[in-house]
PDB file of all heavy atoms in Angstrom:
ATOM      1  N   LEU A1424      17.176 105.513  59.750  1.00 96.00           N
ATOM      2  CA  LEU A1424      18.057 104.974  60.733  1.00 96.00           C
ATOM      3  C   LEU A1424      18.032 103.444  60.758  1.00 96.00           C
ATOM      4  O   LEU A1424      19.075 102.796  60.930  1.00 96.00           O
ATOM      5  CB  LEU A1424      17.733 105.543  62.121  1.00 96.00           C
ATOM      6  CG  LEU A1424      17.962 107.052  62.295  1.00 96.00           C
ATOM      7  CD1 LEU A1424      17.515 107.496  63.679  1.00 96.00           C
ATOM      8  CD2 LEU A1424      19.384 107.419  62.002  1.00 96.00           C
ATOM      9  N   ASP A1425      16.865 102.864  60.548  1.00 96.00           N
ATOM     10  CA  ASP A1425      16.756 101.404  60.471  1.00 96.00           C
ATOM     11  C   ASP A1425      17.537 100.869  59.266  1.00 96.00           C
ATOM     12  O   ASP A1425      18.263  99.885  59.373  1.00 96.00           O
ATOM     13  CB  ASP A1425      15.293 100.961  60.380  1.00 96.00           C
ATOM     14  CG  ASP A1425      14.537 101.174  61.669  1.00 96.00           C
ATOM     15  OD1 ASP A1425      15.164 101.402  62.722  1.00 96.00           O
ATOM     16  OD2 ASP A1425      13.302 101.102  61.620  1.00 96.00           O
ATOM     17  N   LYS A1426      17.391 101.536  58.129  1.00 95.00           N
ATOM     18  CA  LYS A1426      18.076 101.145  56.930  1.00 95.00           C
ATOM     19  C   LYS A1426      19.607 101.255  57.133  1.00 95.00           C
ATOM     20  O   LYS A1426      20.377 100.391  56.696  1.00 95.00           O
ATOM     21  CB  LYS A1426      17.651 102.000  55.755  1.00 95.00           C
ATOM     22  CG  LYS A1426      18.273 101.603  54.446  1.00 95.00           C
ATOM     23  CD  LYS A1426      17.718 102.401  53.294  1.00 95.00           C
ATOM     24  CE  LYS A1426      18.372 102.007  51.983  1.00 95.00           C
ATOM     25  NZ  LYS A1426      17.894 102.815  50.883  1.00 95.00           N
ATOM     26  N   ARG A1427      20.020 102.308  57.760  1.00 96.00           N
ATOM     27  CA  ARG A1427      21.419 102.520  58.045  1.00 96.00           C
ATOM     28  C   ARG A1427      22.007 101.423  58.932  1.00 96.00           C
ATOM     29  O   ARG A1427      23.104 100.918  58.673  1.00 96.00           O
ATOM     30  CB  ARG A1427      21.575 103.896  58.707  1.00 96.00           C
ATOM     31  CG  ARG A1427      22.978 104.357  58.983  1.00 96.00           C
ATOM     32  CD  ARG A1427      22.917 105.731  59.561  1.00 96.00           C
ATOM     33  NE  ARG A1427      24.216 106.206  59.917  1.00 96.00           N
ATOM     34  CZ  ARG A1427      24.439 107.276  60.610  1.00 96.00           C
ATOM     35  NH1 ARG A1427      23.431 108.048  60.977  1.00 96.00           N
ATOM     36  NH2 ARG A1427      25.656 107.669  60.922  1.00 96.00           N
ATOM     37  N   GLU A1428      21.233 101.027  59.925  1.00 97.00           N
ATOM     38  CA  GLU A1428      21.700  99.955  60.812  1.00 97.00           C
ATOM     39  C   GLU A1428      21.778  98.623  60.084  1.00 97.00           C
ATOM     40  O   GLU A1428      22.741  97.870  60.271  1.00 97.00           O
ATOM     41  CB  GLU A1428      20.730  99.836  62.037  1.00 97.00           C
ATOM     42  CG  GLU A1428      21.163  98.861  63.084  1.00 97.00           C
ATOM     43  CD  GLU A1428      22.525  99.184  63.671  1.00 97.00           C
ATOM     44  OE1 GLU A1428      22.837 100.416  63.845  1.00 97.00           O
ATOM     45  OE2 GLU A1428      23.308  98.267  64.006  1.00 97.00           O
ATOM     46  N   ARG A1429      20.771  98.323  59.242  1.00 96.00           N
ATOM     47  CA  ARG A1429      20.794  97.084  58.466  1.00 96.00           C
ATOM     48  C   ARG A1429      21.993  97.091  57.515  1.00 96.00           C
ATOM     49  O   ARG A1429      22.652  96.058  57.326  1.00 96.00           O
ATOM     50  CB  ARG A1429      19.520  96.932  57.590  1.00 96.00           C
ATOM     51  CG  ARG A1429      18.314  96.501  58.403  1.00 96.00           C
ATOM     52  CD  ARG A1429      17.163  96.082  57.524  1.00 96.00           C
ATOM     53  NE  ARG A1429      16.862  96.987  56.401  1.00 96.00           N
ATOM     54  CZ  ARG A1429      15.984  97.993  56.454  1.00 96.00           C
ATOM     55  NH1 ARG A1429      15.325  98.225  57.589  1.00 96.00           N
ATOM     56  NH2 ARG A1429      15.808  98.765  55.409  1.00 96.00           N
ATOM     57  N   SER A1430      22.330  98.215  56.959  1.00 97.00           N
ATOM     58  CA  SER A1430      23.491  98.356  56.067  1.00 97.00           C
ATOM     59  C   SER A1430      24.781  98.084  56.850  1.00 97.00           C
ATOM     60  O   SER A1430      25.695  97.408  56.342  1.00 97.00           O
ATOM     61  CB  SER A1430      23.510  99.712  55.430  1.00 97.00           C
ATOM     62  OG  SER A1430      24.632  99.812  54.558  1.00 97.00           O
ATOM     63  N   LYS A1431      24.874  98.612  58.026  1.00 97.00           N
ATOM     64  CA  LYS A1431      26.081  98.386  58.883  1.00 97.00           C
ATOM     65  C   LYS A1431      26.249  96.918  59.184  1.00 97.00           C
ATOM     66  O   LYS A1431      27.330  96.383  59.141  1.00 97.00           O
ATOM     67  CB  LYS A1431      25.982  99.153  60.192  1.00 97.00           C
ATOM     68  CG  LYS A1431      26.361 100.596  60.120  1.00 97.00           C
ATOM     69  CD  LYS A1431      26.324 101.149  61.553  1.00 97.00           C
ATOM     70  CE  LYS A1431      26.573 102.604  61.598  1.00 97.00           C
ATOM     71  NZ  LYS A1431      26.480 103.125  62.971  1.00 97.00           N
ATOM     72  N   GLN A1432      25.116  96.255  59.546  1.00 97.00           N
ATOM     73  CA  GLN A1432      25.170  94.847  59.868  1.00 97.00           C
ATOM     74  C   GLN A1432      25.585  94.031  58.641  1.00 97.00           C
ATOM     75  O   GLN A1432      26.365  93.092  58.746  1.00 97.00           O
ATOM     76  CB  GLN A1432      23.834  94.393  60.388  1.00 97.00           C
ATOM     77  CG  GLN A1432      23.485  94.901  61.771  1.00 97.00           C
ATOM     78  CD  GLN A1432      22.093  94.575  62.218  1.00 97.00           C
ATOM     79  OE1 GLN A1432      21.303  93.969  61.457  1.00 97.00           O
ATOM     80  NE2 GLN A1432      21.701  94.926  63.419  1.00 97.00           N
ATOM     81  N   HIS A1433      25.040  94.376  57.481  1.00 96.00           N
ATOM     82  CA  HIS A1433      25.384  93.678  56.270  1.00 96.00           C
ATOM     83  C   HIS A1433      26.880  93.822  55.945  1.00 96.00           C
ATOM     84  O   HIS A1433      27.550  92.869  55.571  1.00 96.00           O
ATOM     85  CB  HIS A1433      24.544  94.186  55.104  1.00 96.00           C
ATOM     86  CG  HIS A1433      24.844  93.546  53.791  1.00 96.00           C
ATOM     87  ND1 HIS A1433      24.520  92.215  53.510  1.00 96.00           N
ATOM     88  CD2 HIS A1433      25.492  94.002  52.700  1.00 96.00           C
ATOM     89  CE1 HIS A1433      24.951  91.922  52.292  1.00 96.00           C
ATOM     90  NE2 HIS A1433      25.522  93.004  51.774  1.00 96.00           N
ATOM     91  N   ALA A1434      27.379  95.031  56.091  1.00 96.00           N
ATOM     92  CA  ALA A1434      28.805  95.298  55.854  1.00 96.00           C
ATOM     93  C   ALA A1434      29.669  94.488  56.822  1.00 96.00           C
ATOM     94  O   ALA A1434      30.700  93.941  56.387  1.00 96.00           O
ATOM     95  CB  ALA A1434      29.093  96.769  55.996  1.00 96.00           C
ATOM     96  N   ALA A1435      29.281  94.400  58.063  1.00 95.00           N
ATOM     97  CA  ALA A1435      30.068  93.646  59.020  1.00 95.00           C
ATOM     98  C   ALA A1435      30.057  92.175  58.676  1.00 95.00           C
ATOM     99  O   ALA A1435      31.093  91.494  58.759  1.00 95.00           O
ATOM    100  CB  ALA A1435      29.502  93.831  60.427  1.00 95.00           C
ATOM    101  N   GLU A1436      28.929  91.639  58.220  1.00 94.00           N
ATOM    102  CA  GLU A1436      28.852  90.240  57.792  1.00 94.00           C
ATOM    103  C   GLU A1436      29.713  89.989  56.579  1.00 94.00           C
ATOM    104  O   GLU A1436      30.431  88.956  56.526  1.00 94.00           O
ATOM    105  CB  GLU A1436      27.392  89.871  57.460  1.00 94.00           C
ATOM    106  CG  GLU A1436      26.474  89.781  58.639  1.00 94.00           C
ATOM    107  CD  GLU A1436      25.019  89.629  58.238  1.00 94.00           C
ATOM    108  OE1 GLU A1436      24.739  89.347  57.059  1.00 94.00           O
ATOM    109  OE2 GLU A1436      24.179  89.753  59.111  1.00 94.00           O
ATOM    110  N   MET A1437      29.731  90.907  55.649  1.00 93.00           N
ATOM    111  CA  MET A1437      30.525  90.764  54.429  1.00 93.00           C
ATOM    112  C   MET A1437      32.038  90.803  54.768  1.00 93.00           C
ATOM    113  O   MET A1437      32.816  90.012  54.239  1.00 93.00           O
ATOM    114  CB  MET A1437      30.197  91.788  53.387  1.00 93.00           C
ATOM    115  CG  MET A1437      28.763  91.671  52.831  1.00 93.00           C
ATOM    116  SD  MET A1437      28.419  90.059  52.152  1.00 93.00           S
ATOM    117  CE  MET A1437      29.449  90.045  50.701  1.00 93.00           C
ATOM    118  N   LYS A1438      32.424  91.667  55.650  1.00 92.00           N
ATOM    119  CA  LYS A1438      33.821  91.752  56.067  1.00 92.00           C
ATOM    120  C   LYS A1438      34.254  90.439  56.745  1.00 92.00           C
ATOM    121  O   LYS A1438      35.336  89.941  56.506  1.00 92.00           O
ATOM    122  CB  LYS A1438      34.033  92.903  57.080  1.00 92.00           C
ATOM    123  CG  LYS A1438      34.142  94.244  56.424  1.00 92.00           C
ATOM    124  CD  LYS A1438      34.444  95.336  57.452  1.00 92.00           C
ATOM    125  CE  LYS A1438      34.464  96.690  56.854  1.00 92.00           C
ATOM    126  NZ  LYS A1438      34.695  97.725  57.871  1.00 92.00           N
ATOM    127  N   LYS A1439      33.362  89.924  57.592  1.00 91.00           N
ATOM    128  CA  LYS A1439      33.639  88.663  58.290  1.00 91.00           C
ATOM    129  C   LYS A1439      33.824  87.541  57.278  1.00 91.00           C
ATOM    130  O   LYS A1439      34.750  86.747  57.418  1.00 91.00           O
ATOM    131  CB  LYS A1439      32.506  88.363  59.270  1.00 91.00           C
ATOM    132  CG  LYS A1439      32.753  87.203  60.154  1.00 91.00           C
ATOM    133  CD  LYS A1439      31.602  87.039  61.138  1.00 91.00           C
ATOM    134  CE  LYS A1439      31.845  85.845  62.031  1.00 91.00           C
ATOM    135  NZ  LYS A1439      30.727  85.638  62.952  1.00 91.00           N
ATOM    136  N   LYS A1440      32.924  87.466  56.272  1.00 89.00           N
ATOM    137  CA  LYS A1440      33.063  86.427  55.251  1.00 89.00           C
ATOM    138  C   LYS A1440      34.360  86.547  54.487  1.00 89.00           C
ATOM    139  O   LYS A1440      35.045  85.570  54.200  1.00 89.00           O
ATOM    140  CB  LYS A1440      31.879  86.524  54.272  1.00 89.00           C
ATOM    141  CG  LYS A1440      30.608  85.935  54.753  1.00 89.00           C
ATOM    142  CD  LYS A1440      29.532  86.016  53.662  1.00 89.00           C
ATOM    143  CE  LYS A1440      28.218  85.506  54.138  1.00 89.00           C
ATOM    144  NZ  LYS A1440      27.164  85.585  53.097  1.00 89.00           N
ATOM    145  N   LEU A1441      34.690  87.776  54.117  1.00 88.00           N
ATOM    146  CA  LEU A1441      35.910  87.992  53.319  1.00 88.00           C
ATOM    147  C   LEU A1441      37.170  87.644  54.131  1.00 88.00           C
ATOM    148  O   LEU A1441      38.127  87.111  53.579  1.00 88.00           O
ATOM    149  CB  LEU A1441      36.002  89.439  52.819  1.00 88.00           C
ATOM    150  CG  LEU A1441      35.012  89.789  51.749  1.00 88.00           C
ATOM    151  CD1 LEU A1441      35.051  91.311  51.490  1.00 88.00           C
ATOM    152  CD2 LEU A1441      35.314  89.043  50.461  1.00 88.00           C
ATOM    153  N   ARG A1442      37.157  87.928  55.384  1.00 88.00           N
ATOM    154  CA  ARG A1442      38.335  87.640  56.246  1.00 88.00           C
ATOM    155  C   ARG A1442      38.449  86.144  56.525  1.00 88.00           C
ATOM    156  O   ARG A1442      39.527  85.630  56.809  1.00 88.00           O
ATOM    157  CB  ARG A1442      38.310  88.445  57.508  1.00 88.00           C
ATOM    158  CG  ARG A1442      38.549  89.917  57.224  1.00 88.00           C
ATOM    159  CD  ARG A1442      38.548  90.732  58.508  1.00 88.00           C
ATOM    160  NE  ARG A1442      38.784  92.104  58.156  1.00 88.00           N
ATOM    161  CZ  ARG A1442      38.598  93.118  58.953  1.00 88.00           C
ATOM    162  NH1 ARG A1442      38.203  92.921  60.171  1.00 88.00           N
ATOM    163  NH2 ARG A1442      38.827  94.326  58.558  1.00 88.00           N
TER     164      ARG A1442
END
Side-chain angles (χ1 to χ4, degrees):
L1424 294 177
D1425 290 346
K1426 183 177 179 181
R1427 185 177 175 189
E1428 186 61 35
R1429 285 192 312 269
S1430 179
K1431 277 185 187 178
Q1432 290 173 356
H1433 178 71
E1436 290 171 11
M1437 294 305 290
K1438 280 183 184 179
K1439 187 177 179 181
K1440 281 183 183 179
L1441 289 172
R1442 290 182 181 167

